[in-house]
Amino acid sequence: MNTRKQVRESLKKRKIPKLKQDQIKAAKAYYEARGYKLRNTYWHRYYTGVTGVFHEDYVPLDIFRPYIGYKLNEKQQWPALLDKNLTYNLFKEFNQPVRVVQNINGFYYFEDKLVSESIALEACNAADKPLIIKPTLESGKGKMVEIFEINNNQTTLDGLSTLELFKLYKKNFIVQEFVEQSKILKSLNPSSLNTLRIMTYLREDDVHILSSAVRIGEPGSKTDNFSGGGIFCGVNESGKLKAKAHTKSGDIIEKTVSGIFFGEQKIPNYDLVVKMVKSLHVKVPYFRIVSWDIGIDSDDLPIFIEYNTYYQGVEIQIPNGPLFGEFADEILALGRQSH
């Protein structure tokens, strides 16, 4: 119900026209043939209005979340395994942002050791580079994700002391060194860490890429979230950006504010990115469909940021089209199976 309310508001706000009757019939027939009753075509209308292209096999959020996400991903596993503090144990052999201090259930950790709050404060105050602090259990849409520096125990966040900052986040948070990103990605928007959102599908034969896009923050923004006003640009199999990108407000653009054309850019070492997400996915087989956030560091190497298994952004269909591609029939069939 919440997803329907959200999409209706978007339709109204953007004044997106209604679908044609033959488009409505095609969408409903597509899902009916695969065992689903499409109760509304709000999402088909939304994606068609935003992209200008109709596809009968767009995946509505109110089918993805209750059927696909629920049946293909073990729901009882995701709250614990998605704790951002635990990814350093789950994915310890992969490149990740450098930890400074972790708070897990109110306990402070420094260099994998349980420490007092005073030692945690000292570790942060000793850092002489930009830091990032964020909640580890839930920071969707960039909520409470902040970049800051510390000078004489004073942070650049509203003049808060380091202790006051800790108290603001209470518990279950992490302080990391801010990732210095690749020159190519930084050129797209210097103020934010611009990341790849890659959705993968785990099968018996391999891990397959369903969709890949780069998320770019708007000028001045610290986060790259599309929902927060950022830009979504599709990425093809070779790592090259598509010529046209999309904004949350509905604009289709070909270049950044600074005049860089998307279609002329390529993700450095994209083959290593693909290798990384495939290797990451087999570590968490509880989840058959995962959306990964991957950065590219200053050495042009992929760096794991976080992963999503339940609240996944199916809006990646805006730059890339229908979500499941060649695996649509297979995945939709799995969504209809009982455990």
Side-chain angles (χ1 to χ4, degrees), residues 87-100:
T87 60
Y88 289 92
N89 296 324
L90 276 173
F91 308 122
K92 56 187 176 183
E93 66 266 48
F94 297 92
N95 186 22
Q96 299 187 54
V98 175
R99 292 175 288 178
V100 180

Side-chain angles (χ1 to χ4, degrees), residues 307-320:
Y307 72 123
N308 308 273
T309 66
Y310 188 64
Y311 295 110
Q312 302 191 49
V314 297
E315 284 184 328
I316 199 170
Q317 293 176 105
I318 292 175
N320 288 335

Side-chain angles (χ1 to χ4, degrees), residues 79-247:
L81 290 182
L82 287 187
D83 185 337
K84 294 176 180 63
N85 271 316
L86 298 184
T87 60
Y88 289 92
N89 296 324
L90 276 173
F91 308 122
K92 56 187 176 183
E93 66 266 48
F94 297 92
N95 186 22
Q96 299 187 54
V98 175
R99 292 175 288 178
V100 180
V101 165
Q102 295 170 278
N103 184 292
I104 306 175
N105 195 32
F107 296 96
Y108 287 98
Y109 286 81
F110 174 62
E111 296 181 344
D112 276 330
K113 295 179 181 177
L114 182 67
V115 298
S116 64
E117 183 178 67
S118 61
I119 291 177
L121 288 168
E122 288 176 13
C124 281
N125 291 332
D128 59 352
K129 55 185 66 179
L131 303 174
I132 185 167
I133 186 170
K134 57 186 176 183
T136 52
L137 294 183
E138 178 53 55
S139 60
K141 300 182 180 179
K143 183 179 179 181
M144 289 191 78
V145 177
E146 298 288 352
I147 301 168
F148 66 102
E149 294 185 45
I150 302 175
N151 186 22
N152 292 327
N153 301 346
Q154 204 81 10
T155 77
T156 53
L157 292 175
D158 299 323
L160 295 173
S161 68
T162 313
L163 177 60
E164 289 170 333
L165 183 62
F166 281 7
K167 298 304 182 186
L168 179 65
Y169 281 74
K170 297 178 181 178
K171 66 177 184 178
N172 296 314
F173 62 87
I174 188 169
V175 178
Q176 302 167 318
E177 291 184 6
F178 183 72
V179 175
E180 289 296 331
Q181 64 184 324
S182 163
K183 288 182 179 179
I184 291 177
L185 268 74
K186 187 172 184 177
S187 70
L188 300 175
N189 182 54
S191 68
S192 59
L193 177 61
N194 307 306
T195 62
L196 289 158
R197 166 58 64 91
I198 303 176
M199 183 177 282
T200 56
Y201 172 45
L202 176 63
R203 298 177 83 233
E204 289 78 5
D205 64 336
D206 197 3
V207 175
H208 298 266
I209 306 293
L210 293 179
S211 198
S212 178
V214 63
R215 302 186 304 177
I216 306 160
E218 62 180 345
S221 173
K222 297 175 182 176
T223 61
D224 62 355
N225 297 88
F226 183 63
S227 58
I231 297 168
F232 234 161
C233 186
V235 176
N236 68 23
E237 293 180 357
S238 69
K240 189 175 181 181
L241 273 59
K242 294 184 177 179
K244 295 180 179 179
H246 298 260
T247 70

Side-chain angles (χ1 to χ4, degrees), residues 35-90:
Y36 294 84
K37 183 174 179 59
L38 195 63
R39 299 183 183 279
N40 64 76
T41 53
Y42 296 143
W43 288 99
H44 283 77
R45 178 182 167 189
Y46 173 74
Y47 291 130
T48 301
V50 171
T51 66
V53 181
F54 170 79
H55 290 284
E56 61 183 14
D57 52 340
Y58 280 132
V59 181
L61 186 59
D62 49 9
I63 280 183
F64 181 87
R65 189 167 290 171
Y67 293 100
I68 309 305
Y70 183 75
K71 292 292 179 65
L72 275 74
N73 291 351
E74 294 289 345
K75 190 176 179 181
Q76 63 266 35
Q77 300 285 354
W78 72 262
L81 290 182
L82 287 187
D83 185 337
K84 294 176 180 63
N85 271 316
L86 298 184
T87 60
Y88 289 92
N89 296 324
L90 276 173

